[in-house]
């Protein structure tokens, strides 16, 4: 196209944009996503493969529009065994009816639990952050080379020599390590907890999906978001609102992004997993569908349960109670739980997860279900020990910082700050650095106090009613 007034031609430079700006950069990930969702697209497989083979450019972009039209209009296969709705009401209709039994802690104990949850999330995230993206065939040799296998401590910058850094294709040098940081470095896993608190402050506990979208645009740049979140952010800019923002040209719609966003809603709903899951739904549906939504509801509900019971099994079942029992996520988590109860070893569990999802493909590595299974396995096989559990989560590879953070958050809530040894807390130094506009670095103790205020405020309001 040429503007006559300016004598300039408009061209799209695809080479300077990352994959999340292009639909779909990985066409076969879209195909796999559709097949897992049960969409009837198998007859178009050859067309998907044809488009996937094209170089990035105008032709691929045009044909990708055809791909999206196919996906958007596809119905479910007749033999699809799962029922996975997107609407909250239909999700509620498919719950299993499990009810958590526990005791509400006193105010002092609850504060310690919140402090533990905030701190535990940061510790678990820092443990996995240096090796985020490192697949197991790189992670295990690295841990062995540094005397940290099975994983039992932080990976340290001081132990990474030029020689062992050169042995791996992953960039290990310029990462955040426990022996060189002062506080939790900027990370999306911890940004989201802080951002969720701001959302509740500004819009209340009854915030709407559109409020979350507005907060995203207001408080962070597009580069603070990844995978499904970045696609949704771009959709917001283009005036595509929730829930369409989760579906429009979003290959990553069932990836882990929402699962790492729901912690705060569990924090402020101790003993009430249903309310936590409802808020998590309103957050998740702006960027995710189906199991992507359920992942956030599951984690939020687990955290609400962890405030009132020490039983790991009850925490997991309480989380599952808020998602459809007819979903792939429910089925996969129950398999891990039942296998554990039937004596399946951690090694066997590890092998099962790695056989079910391919960590060497982005779709498998970053999927909600693969990582949720790791979270649950770490909670079970960690046997309530904080350090053992976060190390188990990170040591199983896949999305290491996300899974370490979630496990640390759940166990920190369950056991309170006293369950987290000083060794794990020291690098965090009671600080979380964020990239949220106008926020910067936050004090964990102060954030925990603010969380208490949100809990107390709602208790007072409900009493007055």
């Amino acid at each position: 196209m040429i503007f006559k007034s300016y004598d300039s031609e408009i061209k799209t430079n695809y080479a300077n944009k990352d994959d999340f700006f292009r639909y779909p950069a990985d066409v076969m990930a879209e195909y796999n996503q559709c097949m897992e969702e049960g969409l009837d697209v198998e007859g178009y497989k050859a067309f998907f493969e044809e488009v996937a083979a094209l170089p990035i450019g105008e032709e691929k972009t045009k044909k990708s529009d055809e791909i999206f039209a196919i996906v958007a209009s596809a119905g479910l296969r007749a033999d699809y065994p799962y029922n996975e709705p997107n609407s909250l009401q239909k999700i509620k209709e498919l719950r299993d009816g499990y009810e958590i039994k526990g005791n509400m802690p006193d105010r002092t104990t609850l504060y310690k639990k919140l402090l533990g949850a905030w701190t535990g999330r940061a510790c678990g995230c820092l443990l996995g952050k240096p090796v985020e993206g490192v697949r197991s065939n790189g992670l295990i040799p690295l841990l062995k080379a540094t005397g940290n296998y099975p994983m039992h401590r932080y990976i340290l910058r001081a132990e990474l020599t030029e020689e062992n850094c050169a042995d791996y294709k992953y960039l290990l040098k310029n990462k955040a390590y426990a022996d060189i940081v002062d506080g939790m470095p900027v990370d999306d896993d911890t940004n989201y907890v802080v951002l969720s608190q701001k959302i509740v402050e500004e819009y209340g506990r009854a915030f709407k999906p559109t409020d979350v979208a507005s907060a995203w645009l207001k408080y962070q740049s597009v580069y603070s978001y990844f995978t499904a979140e970045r696609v949704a952010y771009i959709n917001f800019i283009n005036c595509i609102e929730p829930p369409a923002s989760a579906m429009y040209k979003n290959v990553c719609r069932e990836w882990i992004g929402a699962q790492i966003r729901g912690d705060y809603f569990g924090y402020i709903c101790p003993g009430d997993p249903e309310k936590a899951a409802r808020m998590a739904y309103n957050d998740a549906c702006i960027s995710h569908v189906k199991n992507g939504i359920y992942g956030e509801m599951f984690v939020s509900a687990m955290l609400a349960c962890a405030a009132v019971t020490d039983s790991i099994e009850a925490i997991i079942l309480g989380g599952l109670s808020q998602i459809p029992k007819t979903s792939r996520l429910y089925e996969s988590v129950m398999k891990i739980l039942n296998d554990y109860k039937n004596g399946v070893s951690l090694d066997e569990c590890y092998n099962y997860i790695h056989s079910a999802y391919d960590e060497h493909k982005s779709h498998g590595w970053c999927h909600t279900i693969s990582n949720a299974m790791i979270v649950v396995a770490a909670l079970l096989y960690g046997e309530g020990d904080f350090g053992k559990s976060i190390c188990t989560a990170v040591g199983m590879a896949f999305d290491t910082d996300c899974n370490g953070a979630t496990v640390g958050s759940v166990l920190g809530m369950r056991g309170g700050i006293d369950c987290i040894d000083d060794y794990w807390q020291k690098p965090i130094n009671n600080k979380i650095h964020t990239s949220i506009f106008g926020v910067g670095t936050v004090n964990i103790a102060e954030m925990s106090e603010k969380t208490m205020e949100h809990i107390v405020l709602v208790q007072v309001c409900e009493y007055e009613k």
Side-chain angles (χ1 to χ4, degrees):
M1 179 185 300
I2 297 177
F3 286 109
K4 292 182 179 180
S5 300
Y6 297 98
D7 193 28
S8 61
E9 185 176 356
I10 295 175
K11 291 184 178 180
T12 304
N13 188 345
Y14 295 98
N16 290 338
K17 295 296 181 184
D18 64 42
D19 289 351
F20 308 119
F21 286 98
R22 301 191 299 256
Y23 174 84
D26 187 350
V27 176
M28 296 315 296
E30 175 66 274
Y31 180 78
N32 291 336
Q33 170 64 42
C34 289
M35 293 300 293
E36 290 173 8
E37 279 188 81
L39 300 184
D40 191 9
V41 300
E42 191 170 6
Y44 297 97
K45 184 177 182 180
F47 181 56
F48 275 79
E49 292 172 335
E50 173 193 335
V51 177
L54 293 172
I56 292 294
E58 291 293 340
E59 183 180 3
K60 186 166 189 171
T61 299
K62 290 177 182 178
K63 288 187 177 294
S64 294
D65 289 340
E66 296 178 41
I67 291 281
F68 179 71
I70 291 168
V71 172
S73 61
L76 287 177
R77 301 192 306 271
D79 62 346
Y80 191 64
Y82 304 101
N83 185 358
E84 299 176 331
N86 286 321
S87 81
L88 182 58
Q89 182 55 45
K90 290 183 179 179
I91 289 171
K92 288 181 177 181
E93 292 170 3
L94 296 173
R95 295 178 300 184
D96 65 11
Y98 178 86
E99 293 185 9
I100 187 71
K101 293 179 175 61
N103 298 309
M104 183 66 68
D106 60 44
R107 185 184 180 94
T108 299
T109 303
L110 182 56
Y111 173 74
K112 287 184 176 181
K113 283 176 170 286
L114 294 172
L115 189 59
W118 277 93
T119 303
R121 182 160 188 80
C123 294
C125 188
L126 179 60
L127 179 68
K129 190 172 177 64
V131 288
E132 180 183 12
V134 179
R135 275 36 176 188
S136 57
N137 60 340
L139 177 60
I140 293 173
L142 174 65
L143 295 176
K144 288 181 175 179
T146 54
N148 192 12
Y149 185 82
M151 195 176 206
H152 56 276
R153 58 171 174 80
Y154 285 120
I155 300 169
L156 305 177
R157 179 64 183 91
E159 64 191 353
L160 299 179
T161 65
E162 292 294 331
E163 289 75 19
N164 61 24
C165 281
D167 286 341
Y168 305 98
K169 66 179 182 178
Y170 305 100
L171 300 175
L172 296 174
K173 288 185 178 180
N174 299 317
K175 296 294 183 72
Y177 294 95
D179 55 337
I180 61 173
V181 302
D182 179 23
M184 177 62 212
V186 172
D187 190 276
D188 57 333
D189 293 86
T190 44
N191 273 349
Y192 283 127
V193 193
V194 178
L195 185 57
S196 293
Q197 187 177 80
K198 289 195 71 66
I199 289 169
V200 173
E201 281 180 2
E202 293 191 16
Y203 301 102
R205 294 162 66 102
F207 65 84
K208 301 184 293 295
T210 50
D211 296 328
V212 180
S214 296
W216 282 21
L217 294 172
K218 179 180 179 181
Y219 285 114
Q220 292 193 119
S221 82
V222 66
Y223 293 103
S224 294
Y225 301 94
F226 304 92
T227 63
E229 283 74 19
R230 186 171 294 181
V231 175
Y233 191 103
I234 294 166
N235 284 339
F236 303 154
I237 292 172
N238 290 321
C239 301
I240 300 172
E241 293 192 336
S245 53
M247 306 174 202
Y248 184 72
K249 296 187 176 182
N250 191 350
V251 175
C252 318
R253 56 192 177 270
E254 281 195 314
W255 290 15
I256 194 177
Q259 188 160 274
I260 67 174
R261 301 199 322 247
D263 290 51
Y264 194 72
F265 311 127
Y267 294 176
I268 62 174
C269 295
D272 197 337
E274 183 171 11
K275 285 183 180 176
R278 183 187 67 207
M279 283 188 274
Y281 173 86
N282 285 341
D283 181 87
C285 72
I286 74 173
S287 57
H288 286 73
V289 303
K290 302 180 182 180
N291 293 273
I293 293 174
Y294 311 155
E296 182 168 349
M297 297 176 74
F298 171 59
V299 169
S300 298
M302 278 204 297
L303 281 156
C305 294
V308 299
T309 181
D310 289 338
S311 168
I312 298 294
E313 181 176 350
I315 290 169
I316 293 167
L317 292 175
L320 286 177
S321 72
Q322 299 305 314
I323 70 171
K325 62 182 183 292
T326 54
S327 66
R328 285 167 282 148
L329 178 59
Y330 187 99
E331 178 184 75
S332 297
V333 169
M334 283 301 299
K335 175 173 174 53
I336 300 299
L337 176 58
N338 289 329
D339 283 353
Y340 171 79
K341 293 168 70 175
N342 290 327
V344 170
S345 70
L346 176 59
D347 285 344
E348 291 172 316
C349 177
Y350 174 98
N351 291 333
Y352 169 73
I353 295 171
H354 280 259
S355 67
Y357 284 87
D358 185 355
E359 65 173 316
H360 296 284
K361 293 182 179 178
S362 295
H363 182 70
W365 178 83
C366 210
H367 202 278
T368 290
I369 297 175
S370 56
N371 290 286
M373 286 193 289
I374 288 174
V375 165
V376 170
L379 290 172
L380 292 168
Y381 290 92
E383 300 175 317
D385 181 274
F386 181 84
K388 181 179 179 182
S389 299
I390 61 173
C391 286
T392 299
V394 174
M396 295 183 83
F398 284 81
D399 204 333
T400 52
D401 63 329
C402 292
N403 297 333
T406 298
V407 170
S409 185
V410 171
L411 286 179
M413 176 67 89
R414 171 183 177 268
I417 191 65
D418 294 337
C419 82
I420 306 174
D421 291 343
D422 288 344
Y423 170 79
W424 298 110
Q425 294 188 49
K426 186 176 179 180
I428 303 302
N429 196 21
N430 197 36
K431 291 186 289 191
I432 295 175
H433 303 290
T434 81
S435 60
I436 301 171
F437 302 149
V439 173
T441 299
V442 299
N443 178 287
I444 292 177
E446 292 176 0
M447 301 303 283
S448 301
E449 290 168 2
K450 175 62 72 174
T451 309
M452 281 291 293
E453 291 177 18
H454 285 161
I455 297 170
V456 171
L457 282 172
V458 73
Q459 289 175 336
V460 169
C461 290
E462 289 178 349
Y463 176 78
E464 289 175 348
K465 289 178 182 178

